[in-house]
Amino acid sequence: CARSLRKCPVPVFRWLLLVTMVLGLGAISGCGGEPDPPAASPSTEGPLPGGTAVIALSGEPDVLNSLIRSSSYAGMVLAEMQDALAELGEDLQWYPRIAESWEIAEDRTAITYHLKPWVWSDGRPLTTRDVVSSFHLIRDDRVASPLRSTLEPVAGVTALDERTVRYTFRHPVADPVMRSAHALLPEHITRDLDPADVQNWKLNRAPLASGDFKLERWDHNRTLNLVRNELYPGPAALLDRVVFRVIPEKSSQVLALEAGEVDLVDGIPPATAKRLEKSGNIHIVDTSGRGFYYVVWNTRLEILADAPTRCALSLAIDRTRMIDTLLLGYGTPAASCIPPVIWNHHRSLAPDAYEPEEARRLLADAGWRDENDDGVLERDGRELRIRIITKQGDPVRENGIVMLREYLGAIGVAVEPLVLEHATGLARLRSGDFDAYFGLFNANLYGDPSGIVHSNAIVDGHNSGGYRNARVDSLIEAGLAEVDRESALPIWYKVQELIAADPPSAYLFYPVRLVGVSDRIQDVRPHLMSPFNNLSEWWIAPADRKYRSSSSPD
């Protein structure tokens, strides 16, 4: 995962994935009580350390353990706490972070990293022992890490000394840095823990930090506080503290932003954006790019196992009307799980049109009939009934799931919409206890969709619907192995064409993504990769600081 955008030595950014839920900010946990009025001191001309920023999140992390986390919110928080060997710059090139340099073998079957002197937040050194140990934990069957499939090309990792580590690959890879990127955990702690009991590790709620910030306090379903990591070997963060407030409802997040109770809200509804900008103390940033709303079909189920049925369901959905109704036109129909901002997006691939008559014909050809004239199709004695689950707090999902019931019901599908609390929905998704899932996915910038469509990702990734297509698997592997992008493009185009013909999901639309930011926070630069792009560089003028703490007048 990528890092914060910095001014030194090369601009880089972190891709954070954050969280939202409830709670008013009369008092922020760990911020020391009631807000004080802003001091009457003059504003400063440049950044000064100190202060507390408050970020709204729609849900909280499942765990703060990179090995097993499945929540995007966990990924966002961990990205502020834990650095990697390399980080992705805003030009989408890799730059050193914990590694000071690396060499790639001429045949691209190995990469050797040289580490900087680095420490964990408990003062213990971070060495290649941590790198090797973390790799083996990710690959350990007892851990069953969702990260495991991303390291499939790696044959082995060897510590040549405490500061030098080499990855070898099973075959030449196009991007050795990307294919060897993974989270790091402290070996001096994990060596005494049972991998089979990873779900119960204390580390899940109390991780060590190797990044700009470390965990101060976590109040379940309320707030999660980070403070500056004073032992961080890189440039020090300017803020003393960052408070993530869990606020599930988007409307409540917006009200908190307007009231000055939070400083940043991701996913501002387009209808609200213009009103917020007129307030005079909030600005809106468009960070559109890599997200898409989609419906994941559970292909393990007999009623959804065949491609014609899934194709028919997709053709029954009016994407344009959903965009106009749910996003007020702020979006475009989706044709692929590789969004247009990604280098290998298939621009000639058209989104599924709204063709309910063709959908009915496909269903009839697939054997679906309304034998008892009750409005619901049957096949082999089984009704076409689908329970679609989604997450609460997102108006697009909560209202969109009703529209999906309307569209699918019109072609003879009985749909039961079910809106669930975030953690409950994730648990259902992970366990396979669902028929269909209506959600939002943020694609990586590598152009590698294997995490959601490759069969290896059924257990180890985000292929929650259990989709299997051997041809798709082999072409993805060929695309990832092709060093030259020009030569790889036809491969990736074919992957997307095959997925369109045998869809694991109905790809609906790419939304415009708006971020609302309080003007009291300076140098905030939301990016399509993350609304919290450069968190370590945020700062607050003394006159704009609102919260008292033991370490800051904020």
Side-chain angles (χ1 to χ4, degrees):
C1 98
R3 287 280 320 170
S4 304
L5 180 71
R6 297 182 182 276
K7 297 173 182 174
C8 61
V10 184
V12 287
F13 60 80
R14 198 177 255 162
W15 2 319
L16 310 160
L17 314 142
L18 269 91
V19 282
T20 339
M21 282 167 74
V22 302
L23 178 77
L25 186 56
I28 302 174
S29 299
C31 288
E34 296 298 320
D36 292 334
S41 58
S43 62
T44 61
E45 293 184 357
L48 288 176
T52 298
V54 186
I55 296 170
L57 302 177
S58 298
E60 72 171 354
D62 48 352
V63 293
L64 288 179
N65 180 345
S66 300
L67 290 177
I68 58 173
R69 68 96 182 163
S70 57
S71 161
S72 62
Y73 306 128
M76 289 186 250
V77 173
L78 285 166
E80 292 305 328
M81 298 177 61
Q82 295 177 350
D83 279 3
L85 296 181
E87 59 191 8
L88 201 62
E90 95 180 312
D91 58 358
L92 306 186
Q93 301 299 313
W94 289 100
Y95 296 99
R97 179 46 48 187
I98 293 176
E100 63 183 359
S101 63
W102 55 77
E103 297 100 34
I104 297 171
E106 190 172 340
D107 63 359
R108 306 186 85 83
T109 60
I111 183 170
T112 302
Y113 291 96
H114 304 279
L115 276 60
K116 302 172 186 174
W118 212 265
V119 295
W120 293 99
S121 54
D122 64 355
R124 296 288 292 271
L126 190 160
T127 72
T128 54
R129 289 192 301 274
D130 301 295
V131 178
V132 174
S133 170
S134 298
F135 170 81
H136 288 303
L137 283 169
I138 292 170
R139 294 284 284 267
D140 194 319
D141 290 341
R142 294 169 294 177
V143 173
S145 173
L147 303 175
R148 185 165 50 180
S149 63
T150 66
L151 295 175
E152 187 279 331
V154 181
V157 181
T158 304
L160 305 183
D161 57 46
E162 287 204 344
R163 301 263 298 276
T164 311
V165 62
R166 177 173 297 150
Y167 289 73
T168 55
F169 301 103
R170 306 180 195 279
H171 49 73
V173 295
D175 189 343
V177 180
M178 185 268 285
R179 300 309 292 181
S180 58
H182 61 82
L184 303 179
L185 278 81
E187 186 268 347
H188 65 278
I189 291 179
T190 60
R191 67 189 176 200
D192 297 322
L193 302 177
D194 180 4
D197 193 41
V198 66
Q199 298 291 339
N200 298 312
W201 285 3
K202 290 183 179 180
L203 201 67
N204 298 348
R205 302 254 336 158
L208 286 187
S210 59
D212 307 271
F213 295 94
K214 64 181 181 180
L215 182 67
E216 178 189 46
R217 179 172 176 175
W218 184 0
D219 291 334
H220 179 61
N221 275 340
R222 290 168 57 88
T223 57
L224 190 150
N225 295 6
L226 304 183
V227 293
R228 185 191 301 115
N229 178 6
E230 301 292 353
L231 296 181
Y232 183 59
L238 291 170
L239 294 172
D240 287 335
R241 175 178 286 102
V242 178
V243 177
F244 295 105
R245 283 188 54 204
V246 181
I247 308 175
E249 299 294 333
K250 187 62 63 180
S251 58
S252 299
Q253 293 179 26
V254 171
L255 288 173
L257 180 64
E258 290 183 284
E261 296 174 353
V262 302
D263 298 306
L264 187 145
V265 171
D266 184 28
I268 295 289
T272 307
K274 289 185 179 180
R275 174 172 60 79
L276 291 178
E277 285 204 298
K278 290 178 180 177
S279 70
N281 56 7
I282 296 168
H283 63 278
I284 304 295
V285 182
D286 184 347
T287 62
S288 307
R290 65 192 185 104
F292 56 86
Y293 280 92
Y294 68 145
V295 180
V296 182
W297 310 117
N298 189 342
T299 63
R300 305 175 189 86
L301 303 178
E302 183 180 339
I303 61 171
L304 295 170
D306 60 299
T309 295
R310 300 194 302 270
C311 286
L313 299 181
S314 183
L315 291 172
I317 300 170
D318 188 342
R319 288 157 173 77
T320 300
R321 181 173 166 235
M322 291 190 81
I323 292 167
D324 290 342
T325 303
L326 303 173
L327 304 178
L328 300 183
Y330 287 86
T332 56
S336 168
C337 57
I338 301 178
V341 72
I342 312 299
W343 69 274
N344 55 351
H345 171 74
H346 194 334
R347 301 190 181 280
S348 299
L349 194 65
D352 280 348
Y354 175 49
E355 297 181 346
E357 288 305 319
E358 177 64 9
R360 294 186 185 94
R361 186 191 67 77
L362 284 176
L363 289 174
D365 290 348
W368 293 101
R369 304 281 189 278
D370 184 6
E371 302 290 357
N372 55 8
D373 203 29
D374 65 350
V376 180
L377 298 174
E378 305 98 29
R379 182 175 66 184
D380 300 329
R382 186 182 296 269
E383 290 187 320
L384 189 50
R385 292 185 174 273
I386 300 174
R387 176 180 289 180
I388 304 179
I389 64 173
T390 197
K391 181 178 79 74
Q392 70 178 22
D394 178 359
V396 173
R397 300 189 216 202
E398 292 183 349
N399 296 320
I401 201 171
V402 177
M403 297 183 75
L404 290 172
R405 178 175 61 181
E406 172 195 337
Y407 294 138
L408 298 179
I411 63 167
V413 184
V415 172
E416 178 187 353
L418 186 60
V419 179
L420 300 172
E421 183 269 331
H422 178 69
T424 304
L426 274 182
R428 293 277 291 269
L429 204 58
R430 286 195 299 265
S431 67
D433 182 20
F434 72 101
D435 301 337
Y437 170 73
F438 176 37
L440 173 67
F441 190 83
N442 286 314
N444 61 58
L445 281 185
Y446 313 139
D448 174 11
S450 57
I452 56 172
V453 297
H454 196 291
S455 61
N456 285 345
I458 293 174
V459 175
D460 300 335
H462 300 286
N463 184 356
S464 307
Y467 176 73
R468 293 180 183 274
N469 185 312
R471 182 68 175 143
V472 168
D473 286 354
S474 64
L475 283 172
I476 286 176
E477 291 158 12
L480 293 173
E482 178 55 63
V483 174
D484 179 64
R485 279 194 169 185
E486 205 62 36
S487 301
L489 273 177
I491 301 174
W492 290 117
Y493 291 168
K494 186 62 177 177
V495 167
Q496 291 164 83
E497 290 166 7
L498 287 172
I499 289 173
D502 179 26
S505 307
Y507 303 108
L508 301 181
F509 42 86
Y510 307 115
V512 170
R513 194 162 189 88
L514 304 175
V515 179
V517 184
S518 167
D519 286 345
R520 88 179 187 101
I521 311 295
Q522 305 299 313
D523 284 350
V524 181
R525 299 191 298 275
H527 189 275
L528 67 88
M529 288 280 40
S530 165
F532 323 107
N533 178 45
N534 63 320
L535 185 60
S536 65
E537 294 181 50
W538 295 9
W539 62 281
I540 307 170
D544 294 326
R545 297 178 186 175
K546 296 167 56 176
Y547 306 101
R548 297 287 181 188
S549 73
S550 59
S551 59
S552 167
D554 188 35

